Amino acid sequence: MLANMVMPSSRPSTHGTTPVADATSCAAPRERADACPGALRLHRADDGGLARVRVPGGVLDVAQAAALHAAATRLGSGELHLTSRGNVQLRGLREDAGPELAELLREAGLLPSLAHERVRNIVASPLSGLDGSGHRDVAGQLTELDQLLCESEALRELSGRFLFAVDDGRGDVAALGADVTLLAEPDGTALLYLGAGRDAGVLRVADEHAAAAAVVAAETFLEAVRESGLRAWRVADLAVTGAELARRTALRLRAGARDAALAPLLAAPAPGSRSEQIRAAQPAAAPVPGPVTGPSGAVALSVLAPLGRLTGRQWALLTRTAAREGDGTLRMTPWRGVLVPGLTPSRAPGALAALDGAGLVTDPASPWRGAGACAGRPGCAKSLTDVRADATAALARPGPVSGPGSGPVSDPASDPASGPGSRPGSAGSGSAALPVYWSGCERRCGHPRGDRVEVVAGAEGYRVAVVRGTGEELPVPVPAGSDPGAAAAAARVAESTGPHRDDGTGHGGGALAGAVTRESNRPSERSGAHAPAREDSATAGP
């Protein structure tokens, strides 16, 4: 690896440097240093080295996509894995792959700052500018935020888990629990959220200064971390609330602003407002598989990678399609999908059929939609089973799920986020079935936020439960000797369509509330050892 390489310094932010007063302490201090892998800091997994390449907003040009394919093929397993932040992981890397991998990525422009490569965690609305929904195209804001992040000397100290989100107003990535979220408003401003809980702080800033304000917000977070004297990776780890961080951010912006437009307003959205509804939406709505037609008539192809894994052949086909049929770019989504923008209506059907033939998910009714799994064996020693093989077998069997989605049904006629150019394939449309996530141990690395069905391997077999966004677990009965995959498939539909009780969470208890669980159907390969329940997503990837 690049232990001997010199990390170039970057310029500090000039958008506000007023110190933060009032020392605080962490609400949930971390006991260990952040070991989140990157492109230069490789994680040693059971199947070889693992590199996580940050791709802000999930946007790649075809040259960058080709470089990732070359790296996976020459240095690793040949597969590429999509993470829940739209990043790309390479697995099975050989022992001496570090320097060559770094050079490939540097030449492709995927390492604009070696000092910041692990902290360029930015998700953005994948369909922004493509389907006519949202309040504006956030591509420029995404680019500016990444540039300012890399220019801030302070932000090199962020953990590899701190997350930014840039939402065009439709509410897709605003619901992903980022530490700093920019949410476009229809009046040319953006709401800047700090934190993801009910105590999240919010400022209103001019849209043209939103990226700079987001950087100042992250710098304010780091000031609070330093004052605490304890280790904190994310806003939720601090005793200081998001509202207090927003107040301090406002002070810093006003102190450092050269333009009055940088002075923010503390802006708590009114109850029932669209912004509040977006922030409360769980789970977030992902792009629906299939063609997405924009107002101009251009078509984007939306596909899913089964369990987030792409073979070299599939990746190469996506890259060729983008180069020959599209606009020369790919967009990875936080829901482990890929968008190929810029096709003509006449060429789109054939290109989509070719992607479908290569094993990518193009059907909105596919059971793969909304399904995920951790790395499992053989890549992760803590996993009790080859969980991906078990999940694949279960999803391949006929079941009751038809048209699963990763978000609730959205009626374009009544949804304020659905603009005049929205189409059935745009984010926000879909069915009401819950996502399902398979985990090889109780750590449940990489599981999604919000309401979901979880299938978790234990020493004696899989257990199934509906898990609320609040953390409440509702066990699903699995009769001895029966198929946990079938129980999970039924729960995805029954829980989302059955009667609900009012539990004060806004989600209800569902048809399966109070059910008793029984572990059964031993995993395809298991161990008697019990893995500790702790946060570590090195193999699954956030």
Side-chain angles (χ1 to χ4, degrees):
M1 292 186 285
L2 300 184
N4 297 322
M5 291 191 65
V6 177
M7 301 290 190
S9 62
S10 53
R11 297 189 299 275
S13 169
T14 58
H15 300 288
T17 56
T18 301
V20 179
D22 304 323
T24 61
S25 62
C26 292
R30 303 287 183 169
E31 295 181 355
R32 57 188 174 85
D34 175 26
C36 199
L40 304 180
R41 179 194 289 180
L42 306 188
H43 171 78
R44 183 56 54 186
D46 271 21
D47 59 347
L50 180 153
R52 185 175 299 159
V53 183
R54 268 63 177 190
V55 184
V59 180
L60 293 169
D61 62 38
V62 292
Q64 292 171 329
L68 287 170
H69 181 261
T73 303
R74 286 158 45 183
L75 306 175
S77 68
E79 295 181 340
L80 300 99
H81 298 251
L82 306 183
T83 78
S84 60
R85 294 182 171 186
N87 294 319
V88 178
Q89 287 189 165
L90 308 178
R91 300 190 67 98
L93 296 169
R94 64 177 191 249
E95 189 79 24
D96 61 348
E100 188 174 352
L101 172 63
E103 185 61 20
L104 279 170
L105 299 179
R106 187 194 63 77
E107 290 180 351
L110 289 167
L111 292 177
S113 169
L114 299 182
H116 295 79
E117 67 94 9
R118 289 194 319 126
V119 304
R120 298 171 66 223
N121 293 305
I122 310 174
V123 293
S125 299
L127 285 167
S128 186
L130 300 180
D131 65 349
S133 294
H135 297 314
R136 58 189 147 279
D137 187 346
V138 296
Q141 197 170 82
L142 168 64
T143 300
E144 182 184 9
L145 175 57
D146 184 38
Q147 178 181 341
L148 292 177
L149 188 160
C150 290
E151 290 177 353
S152 170
E153 183 72 18
L155 294 192
R156 63 191 295 175
E157 302 301 325
L158 287 174
S159 82
R161 302 169 192 270
F162 193 94
L163 180 63
F164 296 86
V166 182
D167 194 301
D168 68 0
R170 74 184 68 214
D172 53 355
V173 297
L176 294 180
D179 298 282
V180 175
T181 300
L182 293 174
L183 178 63
E185 290 279 85
D187 62 357
T189 65
L191 295 180
L192 170 63
Y193 287 90
L194 288 95
R198 292 181 181 274
D199 62 349
V202 58
L203 304 173
R204 187 182 301 276
V205 295
D207 196 56
E208 61 268 28
H209 299 302
V215 167
V216 173
E219 292 173 346
T220 303
F221 161 78
L222 287 175
E223 287 275 4
V225 172
R226 285 191 289 272
E227 288 177 356
S228 74
L230 299 172
R231 183 176 290 126
W233 295 343
R234 306 194 63 184
V235 168
D237 297 335
L238 287 173
V240 172
T241 65
E244 172 61 13
L245 288 178
R247 185 188 70 81
R248 298 180 182 190
T249 299
L251 292 176
R252 287 168 59 92
L253 286 168
R254 292 187 179 112
R258 299 176 183 178
D259 187 331
L262 261 178
L265 300 173
L266 288 168
S273 71
R274 176 60 183 162
S275 298
E276 187 179 68
Q277 293 169 12
I278 284 175
R279 291 286 295 181
Q282 288 292 343
V288 176
V292 181
T293 303
S296 68
V299 179
L301 302 182
S302 173
V303 301
L304 294 177
L307 303 183
R309 181 169 53 191
L310 288 158
T311 66
R313 175 173 169 266
Q314 290 170 332
W315 186 270
L317 177 60
L318 285 164
T319 304
R320 286 197 305 272
T321 303
R324 299 174 183 177
E325 312 286 350
D327 65 2
T329 66
L330 295 171
R331 298 188 188 186
M332 265 54 64
T333 80
W335 301 274
R336 296 180 169 92
V338 182
L339 291 167
V340 186
L343 282 78
T344 63
S346 62
R347 305 295 292 271
L352 188 65
L355 295 173
D356 180 80
L360 297 168
V361 178
T362 64
D363 181 2
S366 170
W368 290 102
R369 186 175 164 215
C374 71
R377 290 190 177 179
C380 179
K382 294 182 173 64
S383 179
L384 303 179
T385 178
D386 184 349
V387 69
R388 288 175 175 264
D390 293 342
T392 296
L395 291 164
R397 287 191 289 270
V401 178
S402 177
S406 46
V409 172
S410 174
D411 178 5
S414 61
D415 185 354
S418 297
S422 62
R423 295 292 185 270
S426 63
S429 62
S431 75
L434 294 179
V436 60
Y437 196 78
W438 291 66
S439 298
C441 74
E442 289 292 342
R443 290 153 36 107
R444 301 181 294 176
C445 295
H447 69 73
R449 289 173 55 84
D451 292 0
R452 59 194 180 273
V453 175
E454 288 195 353
V455 187
V456 182
E460 297 301 321
Y462 283 105
R463 64 177 177 82
V464 181
V466 173
V467 181
R468 299 291 184 206
T470 58
E472 177 188 13
E473 291 196 17
L474 308 173
V476 175
V478 183
S482 66
D483 180 8
R492 298 178 73 182
V493 177
E495 176 62 14
S496 58
T497 59
H500 286 243
R501 60 178 168 83
D502 184 5
D503 62 359
T505 66
H507 299 293
L512 300 171
V516 178
T517 187
R518 295 171 62 186
E519 287 188 351
S520 67
N521 250 40
R522 295 170 183 260
S524 59
E525 181 181 6
R526 66 176 180 85
S527 165
H530 290 272
R534 64 186 180 87
E535 180 182 12
D536 183 353
S537 54
T539 55

